[in-house]
Amino acid sequence: MINRVRSRRYRSALSLLSFVMPAFALYLLFLVIPMLQGSYYSFTDWNGLNKTYGFVGFRNFVEAIRDDHYFRSAIWFTAKYVVCAVVFQNVLALLLALLIESRRKAKGVFRTIFFMPNMLSVIISTFMWVFVFSKVVPALSEHKGLSFLGLSWLGEPSVSFWTLLIVSVWGGVGTLMLIYMSAIQGIPQHLKEAAIIDGAQPLHMFRYITMPLIAHALTICIFLTLNSSFKVYDLVYALTGGGPGRGTQVITMNILEEAYQGNNRYGYASSKAIILFLIIFVITMIQVTVMKKREVEA
C-alpha cells in the first residue's frame, strides 16, 4: 500500500516536472544564462567581437556613473518619463474603470474601445502617431488657426517628451483599466449598500471603501508600469529615435548604442545594463514592500 502511494506521488511529480521543465529550460537559456554572462562581461573591456578581452574590474561602472554625461542625461530623462507615465497611466486607468463600472449599459463596448490600442503592435501604432503629429496636427493648426497645435511635436525635446507621454498613456491605459475594473467588481456589494444607507457620499466611498479594497490592484498596476517604463525602447525608437540630438534618449537606447551602433563597447554596455537592473530592482522592491503593507492594513 505504501509503495503504491509513493509510486503515485512519484508519477504525479514527474508529470508536473514534464510541464514545468520546458518553460524553465527556456527561461534558463534566454534569461538567466545571458544575465550571468552580461554580469561577467561588465567587468571586462570586451568589444563583443574578439575572443580575447581584459578584466578591468569596476572601471566600467565608475566611468558610466562619473564620466558619461550622455548616460546620466538618459537616466534623468528616463526618470522623468517613468514618474509621469506611472502617474498618468494609473490615474487615467482608474478613472476610466470607475466611470465604466458606474454605467449600467454598454460596459462591454467601452471596455473594447479603450482596450483596442493594446491589440496593435507598438511599432505600428507608433508610426501611426508619427503620421498624426507630423501631418495631421500641423494641418489642423494651419486650417483652424490653433497656434498651439503648430508646435514641433517631434522636433523639440521639451515638446517631444509630452508626445512620448501621450502615446505611452494611449497605448498602456487599456490593460491597467481592466485590472482596476476586475478589482472594483470584486468589492462586496453589501459594503457599498451599507455605506449608502449610512449616508456616505461618492468621494467618501471612494476613499474609505473602494481604494482600500483595490489596493492589491494598485500594487500590481504600479509594478507593471514601473517595469515597462524603465525598459521602454521600441516606442521611443519609432517615435523620435532618441532625438532631436539625444534629447529623448532613454537608458535602453543609450545601452544599445554603446554596444552595437558603432561604439562596440559590449563590456561597458553590460555595466550600464547592470546599473539599470539595480535601479529597477531597488525601486520595485521598495514599491512592492510599501504597498503590500498598505494592503495588509486595509
Side-chain angles (χ1 to χ4, degrees):
M1 182 66 180
I2 296 176
N3 290 335
R4 189 181 302 174
V5 172
R6 287 179 178 175
S7 177
R8 189 180 303 168
R9 288 179 179 176
Y10 176 77
R11 288 197 301 270
S12 177
L14 194 62
S15 176
L16 290 174
L17 283 175
S18 66
F19 285 102
V20 173
M21 286 307 296
F24 179 74
L26 292 174
Y27 179 81
L28 193 69
L29 181 64
F30 292 106
L31 186 65
V32 176
I33 293 176
M35 185 177 70
L36 294 176
Q37 287 181 326
S39 301
Y40 172 74
Y41 289 136
S42 67
F43 296 98
T44 70
D45 60 359
W46 188 42
N47 63 4
L49 299 173
N50 294 342
K51 293 182 179 180
T52 59
Y53 49 84
F55 186 79
V56 297
F58 288 94
R59 191 177 72 188
N60 289 333
F61 294 92
V62 173
E63 181 182 349
I65 297 171
R66 187 185 64 185
D67 303 326
D68 197 328
H69 169 72
Y70 292 133
F71 184 59
R72 293 200 305 270
S73 298
I75 291 176
W76 172 242
F77 181 83
T78 305
K80 290 192 298 181
Y81 172 80
V82 168
V83 171
C84 293
V86 169
V87 171
F88 287 125
Q89 285 188 28
N90 282 278
V91 169
L92 184 58
L94 182 55
L95 288 175
L96 288 173
L98 291 169
L99 288 172
I100 294 173
E101 280 300 312
S102 66
R103 296 183 63 89
R104 295 185 178 180
K105 298 180 180 179
K107 287 185 181 181
V109 174
F110 285 106
R111 278 199 299 262
T112 304
I113 291 173
F114 288 111
F115 187 73
M116 280 181 66
N118 295 80
M119 300 170 65
L120 298 174
S121 164
V122 174
I123 298 296
I124 292 174
S125 61
T126 304
F127 281 136
M128 178 186 72
W129 277 102
V130 169
F131 175 78
V132 169
F133 284 116
S134 61
K135 302 294 183 181
V136 177
V137 173
L140 285 175
S141 174
E142 181 180 350
H143 292 290
K144 299 299 181 180
L146 301 174
S147 58
F148 72 94
L149 292 179
L151 297 171
S152 180
W153 292 92
L154 301 175
E156 179 66 32
S158 59
V159 181
S160 298
F161 171 77
W162 297 105
T163 304
L164 290 172
L165 202 58
I166 290 170
V167 178
S168 68
V169 170
W170 175 83
V173 76
T175 301
L176 305 180
M177 179 196 68
L178 292 181
I179 295 174
Y180 284 126
M181 288 181 67
S182 299
I184 292 170
Q185 291 170 2
I187 298 175
Q189 188 64 29
H190 66 85
L191 291 178
K192 299 179 183 178
E193 294 172 353
I196 293 172
I197 293 172
D198 290 340
Q201 298 298 318
L203 186 60
H204 293 100
M205 289 186 63
F206 174 76
R207 180 178 177 183
Y208 297 109
I209 295 178
T210 303
M211 281 304 294
L213 294 178
I214 66 168
H216 61 287
L218 192 64
T219 302
I220 294 170
C221 289
I222 291 180
F223 176 83
L224 292 175
T225 47
L226 272 174
N227 277 272
S228 62
S229 300
F230 268 115
K231 296 185 291 186
V232 65
Y233 174 81
D234 46 5
L235 185 147
V236 181
Y237 179 79
L239 199 62
T240 66
R246 296 173 183 259
T248 58
Q249 189 180 70
V250 289
I251 301 177
T252 50
M253 294 188 70
N254 184 271
I255 293 171
L256 288 175
E257 180 184 70
E258 204 69 59
Y260 301 111
Q261 298 174 8
N263 293 345
N264 291 334
R265 299 184 65 190
Y266 194 92
Y268 184 49
S270 297
S271 67
K272 291 184 176 183
I274 296 299
I275 293 172
L276 175 60
F277 167 77
L278 292 175
I279 291 172
I280 297 174
F281 178 78
V282 171
I283 291 177
T284 52
M285 285 298 293
I286 293 172
Q287 177 255 323
V288 171
T289 303
V290 171
M291 299 195 73
K292 278 290 182 182
K293 290 181 180 179
R294 293 190 62 182
E295 289 181 34
V296 173
E297 290 174 1

